[in-house]
Amino acid sequence: MAIELRISSPGRINLIGEHVDYNDGFVLPAAIDKCIYFKLRKNGSANRCTIKSKGFESILVVDLDHLSQGTEGWHNYVLGVLHEMGKLSNGLRGFDCTMESKVPIGSGVSSSAALECGLAFGLNELFDLGLDKWQLIKLGQRAEHNFVGTKCGIMDQFASIMGKKNHVMLLDCRSLDFEYIPIDINPYRLLLLNTNVSHKLSTGEYNVRKQQCEDGLEVVAEKFGIGKSFRNVTEKMLEDCQEELGETLFNRCSYIVQENKRVLQAVNALRKGNLVKMGLLMYDTHEGLRKKFEVSCPELDFLVDFSKTKEQVLGARMMGGGFGGCTLNIIHKSAVDSYVKEASKAYKKAFNIELSHFITLPSEGTSITKQPT
Ligand code: GLA
């Protein structure tokens, strides 16, 4: 029997810096302690692969020599990874894989990156392909672009692969330089409240936002003769071309420029242990995502507004792509239970949907969980 390789691959949170990764911005994510677990082994064939997903109770059978897009949701993440790996290496052979997800799907904690990165990382180990971490990160992103159709940034795959226990990561999405920043938020906790509204259908809106940012940037860059990067754009420039931009593009661009500033302010606040400031910045981000970037939804807004009435919550905001998924809350540990109870009751009353929740911690990135024996 061939040796079995076990991999765990985490989802991610993002403290601040939303929708700026595909706009040359700064982000502040961390891997979380909720993972997809993979068991992988070579099956001796040249090109026949089976991938079994416990959550979906279905098996995907793949011929490496005939890869094309599938129709069922999670299949394309797998197929996309295999396709992109095939472009970088000719060492891939037949394998059998089972995976079990403990990452809530469609909740804004990037179960998709956990899947892409876990599979890519595992196959790289299993077949000794020699790809480095950045190659794995980027191939995961390309899989999502080319097979899934979301023109995502680099943040999720980066966080899943590079995560480090008790650290958040400040990533400059333009240069790809990054820094681990230790984080100890005791006596507070990172609480995720899941609206249980799935953002599955939002891929189209995500790509629309990306296009709008590109269009807006083009207008500003042309008017001021600057290089096409949001890092060269100031709020003053945006005000000066408000007319050319029109309301929607102005709002999108204005959000991006402001959010980039907030991330750097948040890093300063974190370094000083100033969680109150961090919380206020999170509220500002939510306002921007809601009013200017328009990627929130009534359920997320409700939870953020609700948190504002409780002084034990320092800050809250929607997280990830938007249109559903989770809010991230910084909350005093003594208040977690009572707050969850109260919020669940109010949320159920308002939307007739059950709220779910979990506390999370910055955790290790994609790794081997048990060495083959
Ligand atoms: C999704 C994308 C990321 C990022 C976030 C929003 O999670 O995959 O690249 O753009 O949305 O910040």
Side-chain angles (χ1 to χ4, degrees):
M1 176 77 87
I3 292 165
E4 182 179 84
L5 179 67
R6 294 184 179 206
I7 303 290
S8 63
S9 188
R12 63 100 190 92
I13 50 169
N14 182 26
L15 287 195
I16 198 158
E18 217 65 89
H19 282 275
V20 289
D21 61 344
Y22 54 87
N23 284 310
D24 275 352
F26 298 101
V27 292
L28 199 59
I32 57 173
D33 51 351
K34 294 224 177 281
C35 294
I36 302 184
Y37 298 93
F38 297 79
K39 290 181 190 169
L40 290 153
R41 60 165 46 116
K42 295 177 185 173
N43 62 17
S45 79
N47 50 17
R48 186 176 187 276
C49 311
T50 66
I51 300 98
K52 186 172 163 189
S53 163
K54 280 201 172 165
F56 291 97
E57 301 308 338
S58 62
I59 297 186
L60 169 65
V61 180
V62 182
D63 176 348
L64 287 177
D65 295 334
H66 297 96
L67 284 170
S68 57
Q69 263 167 302
T71 46
E72 199 174 322
W74 65 272
H75 289 184
N76 278 325
Y77 296 98
V78 172
L79 295 164
V81 165
L82 296 178
H83 178 73
E84 296 300 329
M85 288 198 101
K87 288 200 232 162
L88 294 178
S89 163
N90 53 17
L92 215 50
R93 298 286 179 274
F95 65 88
D96 296 327
C97 167
T98 57
M99 52 187 192
E100 185 171 7
S101 180
K102 302 288 180 198
V103 187
I105 291 164
S107 312
V109 290
S110 204
S111 54
S112 48
L115 200 170
E116 292 147 12
C117 295
L119 185 63
F121 185 98
L123 293 174
N124 188 42
E125 291 292 325
L126 192 68
F127 293 102
D128 209 5
L129 304 180
L131 303 176
D132 65 29
K133 286 190 172 182
W134 274 109
Q135 285 177 297
L136 298 176
I137 291 168
K138 288 179 184 169
L139 88 79
Q141 184 193 27
R142 283 197 303 273
E144 194 139 338
H145 285 194
N146 299 336
F147 265 61
V148 181
T150 311
K151 305 291 178 194
C152 64
I154 197 77
M155 170 171 77
D156 300 353
Q157 292 79 9
F158 163 82
S160 187
I161 293 262
M162 295 293 196
K164 185 168 166 180
K165 198 173 172 196
N166 299 330
H167 289 75
V168 291
M169 296 169 282
L170 173 63
L171 171 68
D172 176 342
C173 299
R174 177 162 73 166
S175 65
L176 298 185
D177 289 340
F178 69 101
E179 188 186 342
Y180 288 108
I181 300 177
I183 176 170
D184 175 11
I185 63 160
N186 227 359
Y188 289 86
R189 295 288 179 266
L190 295 170
L191 169 69
L192 288 156
L193 292 179
N194 190 345
T195 58
N196 286 313
V197 176
S198 172
H199 65 194
K200 229 175 26 217
L201 300 173
S202 63
T203 291
E205 284 299 322
Y206 185 95
N207 292 345
V208 167
R209 292 302 176 283
K210 183 164 190 282
Q211 188 60 51
Q212 289 170 333
C213 292
E214 277 168 27
D215 293 348
L217 181 59
E218 183 143 359
V219 172
V220 186
E222 196 158 300
K223 171 151 179 160
F224 291 96
I226 52 170
K228 261 190 223 161
S229 168
F230 269 101
R231 294 283 271 281
N232 302 327
V233 178
T234 63
E235 289 192 71
K236 173 82 176 59
M237 287 177 184
L238 292 178
E239 271 158 34
D240 289 348
C241 43
Q242 214 160 342
E243 218 168 277
E244 293 95 316
L245 285 168
E247 197 185 344
T248 302
L249 295 194
F250 173 79
N251 281 339
R252 305 294 190 251
C253 295
S254 157
Y255 165 77
I256 297 298
V257 171
Q258 291 177 345
E259 179 71 349
N260 263 331
K261 272 199 202 156
R262 276 191 288 267
V263 178
L264 299 179
Q265 288 170 345
V267 170
N268 270 336
L270 267 190
R271 290 196 205 273
K272 292 185 187 142
N274 188 348
L275 291 181
V276 171
K277 174 76 180 166
M278 176 76 218
L280 292 173
L281 290 165
M282 286 168 69
Y283 279 131
D284 288 348
T285 291
H286 187 80
E287 259 332 90
L289 289 165
R290 175 186 193 162
K291 305 247 170 73
K292 293 188 168 176
F293 218 65
E294 296 181 282
V295 290
S296 189
C297 63
E299 293 84 352
L300 288 164
D301 294 341
F302 178 89
L303 290 174
V304 171
D305 289 344
F306 188 80
S307 78
K308 285 185 177 164
T309 64
K310 312 287 169 197
E311 63 180 16
Q312 303 92 327
V313 182
L314 296 184
R317 63 177 198 83
M318 58 145 280
M319 199 183 63
F323 305 103
C326 289
T327 61
L328 174 65
N329 304 259
I330 299 187
I331 180 171
H332 197 279
K333 65 178 178 189
S334 65
V336 171
D337 291 345
S338 57
Y339 180 70
V340 167
K341 233 188 220 166
E342 230 184 297
S344 304
K345 201 171 155 199
Y347 185 71
K348 170 93 186 186
K349 194 167 167 214
F351 299 102
N352 200 25
I353 304 175
E354 300 291 339
L355 193 65
S356 42
H357 74 280
F358 59 97
I359 297 282
T360 198
L361 282 171
S363 304
E364 283 303 309
T366 310
S367 35
I368 298 175
T369 50
K370 197 175 115 193
Q371 289 293 349
T373 47

